[in-house]
Amino acid sequence: MKIIPLLLALGLGVGGFVVPSVPAAPQEGDVRIVAAPASAGVLRPGLPLLVTGTISNDTGRTLDAGTATVHVSSSKMVTRTALARWLSEDTTVAESPTGDPLGEVRIGELAVGQSRSFSITVPAASLAFINGATGVYPLEIRLTADQLSLATRRSAISWLPEGPQMSLAIVTPLSTRGSMNGLLDAEALTALTSPGGSLDDQLTTAMSHPVAIGVDPMIVASIRVLGDSAPQPALDWLQRLDRLQNDVFALTYADSDQLLLRQAGATAPVEPTSFPHQDTVTPSPTESASPGDSTDLAAIDADPIPGSPLSMRTTIDGLSWPGRALTSEDDLEFLSTGGSSRTLLSSTDVTGSALSTPNVMVGEHKTTVSDARVSAALSVATSASTESEWASAAANLTAELTATAAQSPGATLVATVSRASASNSRMVDSTLTAIQSLGLARPITLRNAFEIAPVTGAIPDSTIDDGALERVPLTTDLLASEVSLARFSSVVDDPTLVTGPQRLDLLALASATWASDFPAWAEAVREQLALNDEMLSSVHLPESSSITFLQEKGNLPIAVRNELSFPVTVYVTVRPERAILTVSDNWVKLSIEPNSQAKASVPVESIANGEVRTTVTLSSATGVAISQPGAIILNVQAGWETTATVVLAIIVFVLFGAGVWRTVLRRRSLRTAATESKQKELS
C-alpha cells in the first residue's frame, strides 16, 4: 500500500496520529485543501449547502484515494472573538465539529503535484439545526484515507434569514503601484488609463459600487502637466473621474506615507513645491546666506501652487489616510499642520472605539476608524489570486460581517480595501458585489458615517515593529539628500528646475504602496540617491592642470563645466597658497549654458617668479559651495612680460632698420645702373 510512504512524508507514526483542527501554512510536504461554502458562505432557509474546493498533493509521494467530508457544528458562534478563534490556525483554541459528516465525496488517487476539484452538497434537511436569528456556524472540510486524517480546512456558514442589520461604508484607494518617478509620463499614462489598464479597471470598479474613493493626486497632476500632449485615454479617464457620483477625497501626493517621513526626520508634512511649466512661489535666497548655512525641509516648502495641477473635484476635504499605525497623539497634530481635519485610522490604533459608531475623538482631533477585522478579511478577499482562494476568503468575510451583525445589531462600520490589493480590480469587484448581494449590510456613504456621534478615545502607547521601521533609515537619507540638493539649486537660474522634480520623486519613493515590497523599494531609493549625488557634482571644474602665467597683470582663465540641461550661474574664487600672486577680484561671476563649458576671467597680478598651487572654488550667489574645490598649478614668471616686450621691440627695430637699409641700397644700385646706361648711350 502507498499509505506507508505517505505517513513517512507526513511525519506520522504507525501506532497513532494527531488530527489537526486546522492545516498549517502551505509548505512543501503538505496535503492542501482550499475549500469554502458557495455563495460566499451564505445559507438561507430551505436551501442546500454547497461546498466546493480543491485538494493538492505536495507531499512528494503518491496519495492513495481518500474521502473528503463536510462537518458543521450545531453551536452558533455568538461573538466575533469566537469566530476569530475558530478561523485561527492555533489548533488549541476551538474544538472541531463532532458527529457524522453531513456530506462526503471520494477523492481519487493523487500523483505528486496533482490537484483535484470536488464539490459536496448537503441537503437542507440535514441542516435543520441551523435556525433562529442571524448567526455564524463553524464548518470544517476534512480529507481522510484509511481512517487517517490527512488535512483539514476551516470555514464558516453565515445564516441570514433576515434583511440588513448593520451599516457599512467602504473606502478604497485609487492609485498606482510604487514608482520612483513623481510624475507619470505619457507612455505610462496610456498603458494605465487605456481599457484594461490598471487605473481604468480601478475606476470602473469604483464607479460600480457605493464606495468612497481616495484618489492619488499624482495621477491627476501627471495628466494636467502634459496639457495638450496628454494621451487621449488619460484625458478620457480624467473626465470620468470628474463625473464620479461616489464620495471622493484626495490622498497625499503619490500616496506618500507622511508618518514615515516624520519618523525619518521631517518636521512638517512634505508636499509638492512646483511642477513643470507652472508658475510657483519659491523662497528667494537671502543675501546674508553663507556657505555654512543649513537648510531645513520647511524652508524649501513653497506656498500653494497657483493654478495647481493638483486641483480635482472632491466631496470630502481634509481627510488623511496614513499608511502606517500612529505612535502617539503627536502624529495627529503633525498631520493637522498639513491641512488634515479628520484622520482615517484602523480600530487597532485607537482605544475606546465602538461598533455603534466609527468616529472617535482623540483630544481635539477627529478620527474615523476602519474596523480592523472586517478590513483584514476584505483585503484577503480582494488580494486573492485564484477563484478558490477568493471563495474561501469571501466566506470568511461574510462570516465576519454576519458575526458583527449578530453581536451588535445596528452596528455601523467603516472598512478599507488595502493599498496592496486595490489594483486587483477583478477580485475587488467580485468582493464588493458579494457584499452588496448579502442583504446584510446597508451601504452608507463615508460622509454619512462622519455624522454619527463620536466616542472618546486615545492613541495607545505602542512600539513600532521592525517591519514598520525598516524603511526609516533610507528615508532619512532621502531627506538629507533633498536638503543638499535644495542648497545646490541656488546655482541654477531657476532653482525649481531642481527642487520641484526632486520633491515629487521623494514623495513617490515615500509612497505607502511601496510597503509590501521592501527589497525593490530599497533598490529604487539607492538608485535615486546615486542620481542625486550625480547632480550635486554636475557643475564642476575640469581636472586640475598647470598654467604658465607670464604677465605682471592679467586675467587667469578658469574653465567650469555645466552638465545640467539648464543654465547655471556660479561665482569663481581663486586662492593662491603663496603670496607670489594676488587676486584683484575674488568673486567672479560666470554664466554657463546647458551641457557646455565656459571660462571665467579672474584678474590677478604677479609679484614674484615661482610655482604656486592655487585652490579654485565655485559658489552660488548665496555662498553655497558647489562641487569640490579644484587645484591649479601656476608657473608664475614675474617681469617676463617687460623683457619679452623689450626683446620684441629690438627685433622689430632691427627688422625695420634692415628693411630701410635694403631699400637704400636698392635705390643706390638703381641710380648707379641708370648713370652707367646714360654714359654708354652718349659714348
Side-chain angles (χ1 to χ4, degrees):
M1 294 181 60
K2 296 175 182 175
I3 193 65
I4 299 302
L6 177 61
L7 290 174
L8 295 176
L10 296 175
L12 300 176
V14 176
F17 60 89
V18 176
V19 180
S21 298
V22 95
Q27 299 176 3
E28 184 178 359
D30 285 344
V31 178
R32 295 187 298 116
I33 300 177
V34 179
S39 303
V42 175
L43 185 65
R44 299 189 188 278
L47 296 180
L49 169 67
L50 174 63
V51 176
T52 61
T54 59
I55 295 177
S56 302
N57 177 15
D58 296 334
T59 64
R61 299 287 188 275
T62 298
L63 180 64
D64 280 347
T67 302
T69 56
V70 171
H71 302 258
V72 179
S73 173
S74 59
S75 299
K76 184 187 300 184
M77 292 181 286
V78 296
T79 66
R80 301 208 303 171
T81 300
L83 173 63
R85 294 176 60 195
W86 169 248
L87 296 177
S88 168
E89 291 187 356
D90 185 350
T91 60
T92 66
V93 298
E95 295 182 356
S96 298
T98 58
D100 295 332
L102 300 182
E104 64 180 42
V105 66
R106 289 287 293 171
I107 303 297
E109 181 179 276
L110 286 173
V112 176
Q114 185 180 7
S115 297
R116 288 188 185 275
S117 299
F118 70 92
S119 64
I120 304 173
T121 299
V122 179
S126 300
L127 301 167
F129 59 87
I130 298 181
N131 53 44
T134 296
V136 180
Y137 291 82
L139 178 147
E140 189 170 60
I141 302 98
R142 302 173 186 168
L143 175 65
T144 59
D146 290 347
Q147 298 183 343
L148 293 177
S149 178
L150 304 181
T152 63
R153 179 77 175 196
R154 287 183 174 184
S155 187
I157 296 173
S158 297
W159 174 248
L160 299 178
E162 305 168 1
Q165 300 172 59
M166 60 179 296
S167 299
L168 179 65
I170 297 177
V171 184
T172 182
L174 202 167
S175 60
T176 59
R177 291 190 178 275
S179 169
M180 63 182 294
N181 298 316
L183 284 172
L184 302 171
D185 60 24
E187 182 179 358
L189 284 171
T190 299
L192 290 167
T193 59
S194 294
S198 176
L199 290 179
D200 179 72
D201 287 346
Q202 287 184 61
L203 184 56
T204 298
T205 298
M207 293 175 69
S208 304
H209 301 282
V211 298
I213 307 169
V215 181
D216 180 358
M218 181 183 73
I219 305 168
V220 177
S222 298
I223 299 172
R224 296 196 188 281
V225 162
L226 289 176
D228 294 338
S229 62
Q232 191 60 45
L235 296 174
D236 295 341
W237 184 91
L238 193 58
Q239 288 184 351
R240 292 173 62 204
L241 180 68
D242 288 338
R243 294 196 299 266
L244 274 178
Q245 298 301 307
N246 305 62
D247 274 344
V248 178
F249 65 97
L251 299 171
T252 55
Y253 191 87
D255 196 13
S256 54
D257 189 340
Q258 292 294 320
L259 296 184
L260 166 65
L261 292 167
R262 182 182 186 224
Q263 291 166 9
T267 57
V270 182
E271 301 173 347
T273 58
S274 65
F275 290 90
H277 313 301
Q278 297 291 320
D279 295 327
T280 62
V281 180
T282 305
S284 300
T286 59
E287 294 298 328
S288 60
S290 65
D293 286 347
S294 62
T295 305
D296 188 88
L297 279 172
I300 59 176
D301 281 339
D303 291 337
I305 303 164
S308 172
L310 297 173
S311 59
M312 57 183 288
R313 187 189 68 81
T314 59
T315 61
I316 299 174
D317 295 324
L319 177 63
S320 61
W321 184 6
R324 63 182 48 218
L326 275 65
T327 57
S328 69
E329 189 175 334
D330 291 340
D331 287 337
L332 293 174
E333 185 64 32
F334 175 86
L335 294 172
S336 69
T337 61
S340 171
S341 56
R342 181 183 293 269
T343 306
L344 181 61
L345 304 175
S346 170
S347 57
T348 57
D349 294 340
V350 183
T351 62
S353 61
L355 294 177
S356 59
T357 176
N359 302 312
V360 179
M361 288 295 299
V362 179
E364 298 180 353
H365 300 284
K366 296 178 181 178
T367 73
T368 294
V369 300
S370 64
D371 187 86
R373 288 180 175 174
V374 173
S375 295
L378 178 60
S379 294
V380 172
T382 54
S383 61
S385 57
T386 66
E387 291 296 336
S388 57
E389 288 179 1
W390 179 84
S392 177
N396 290 348
L397 171 60
T398 299
E400 192 66 57
L401 292 171
T402 304
T404 302
Q407 179 178 333
S408 302
T412 298
L413 300 185
V414 172
T416 56
V417 176
S418 71
R419 289 163 164 93
S421 63
S423 60
N424 193 10
S425 298
R426 186 169 67 89
M427 294 306 184
V428 172
D429 182 61
S430 296
T431 304
L432 296 179
T433 300
I435 292 174
Q436 287 177 255
S437 66
L438 292 178
L440 169 71
R442 182 180 71 255
I444 61 170
T445 66
L446 191 58
R447 281 181 293 172
N448 289 152
F450 291 163
E451 295 172 358
I452 301 174
V455 294
T456 300
I459 306 299
D461 294 334
S462 61
T463 302
I464 305 176
D465 59 45
D466 293 341
L469 287 174
E470 64 181 354
R471 295 179 67 191
V472 173
L474 281 174
T475 305
T476 300
D477 293 342
L478 278 175
L479 293 177
S481 182
E482 181 181 50
V483 170
S484 298
L485 279 175
R487 299 180 69 240
F488 167 83
S489 69
S490 59
V491 77
V492 182
D493 294 353
D494 180 3
T496 63
L497 295 174
V498 173
T499 59
Q502 162 63 22
R503 173 57 62 85
L504 299 182
D505 292 348
L506 167 67
L507 291 172
L509 284 167
S511 175
T513 58
W514 277 108
S516 59
D517 193 353
F518 176 78
W521 174 81
E523 181 179 352
V525 170
R526 293 187 183 100
E527 182 178 345
Q528 183 63 50
L529 291 172
L531 291 173
N532 292 353
D533 289 342
E534 184 178 332
M535 177 171 282
L536 290 172
S537 60
S538 57
V539 179
H540 61 90
L541 297 161
E543 292 185 6
S544 58
S545 59
S546 298
I547 298 177
T548 299
F549 188 74
L550 302 177
Q551 300 169 284
E552 287 188 4
K553 290 184 178 181
N555 291 322
L556 186 64
I558 303 296
V560 182
R561 179 72 185 171
N562 173 24
E563 295 177 354
L564 296 173
S565 57
F566 26 84
V568 300
T569 299
V570 297
Y571 289 82
V572 181
T573 300
V574 175
R575 290 188 176 85
E577 293 184 356
R578 295 172 57 199
I580 65 174
L581 190 75
T582 60
V583 181
S584 303
D585 185 356
N586 224 346
W587 191 249
V588 177
K589 182 179 180 179
L590 177 64
S591 297
I592 315 169
E593 292 302 309
N595 297 306
S596 63
Q597 182 170 297
K599 289 185 178 181
S601 297
V602 181
V604 295
E605 181 178 355
S606 58
I607 304 301
N609 295 340
E611 191 174 83
V612 57
R613 187 178 186 275
T614 304
T615 301
V616 180
T617 58
L618 305 178
S619 304
S620 70
T622 59
V624 175
I626 304 299
S627 188
Q628 294 296 320
I632 297 177
I633 304 301
L634 290 179
N635 183 16
V636 180
Q637 299 298 325
W640 275 73
E641 182 184 21
T642 303
T643 303
T645 302
V646 172
V647 171
L648 181 61
I650 292 174
I651 292 173
V652 171
F653 177 77
V654 170
L655 292 175
F656 179 76
V660 172
W661 179 246
R662 287 181 60 192
T663 301
V664 171
L665 290 178
R666 185 178 300 142
R667 289 181 178 177
R668 284 182 180 177
S669 177
L670 291 174
R671 284 198 297 270
T672 301
T675 301
E676 290 177 352
S677 176
K678 287 181 180 181
Q679 288 178 350
K680 287 181 180 179
E681 291 177 358
L682 291 176
S683 61

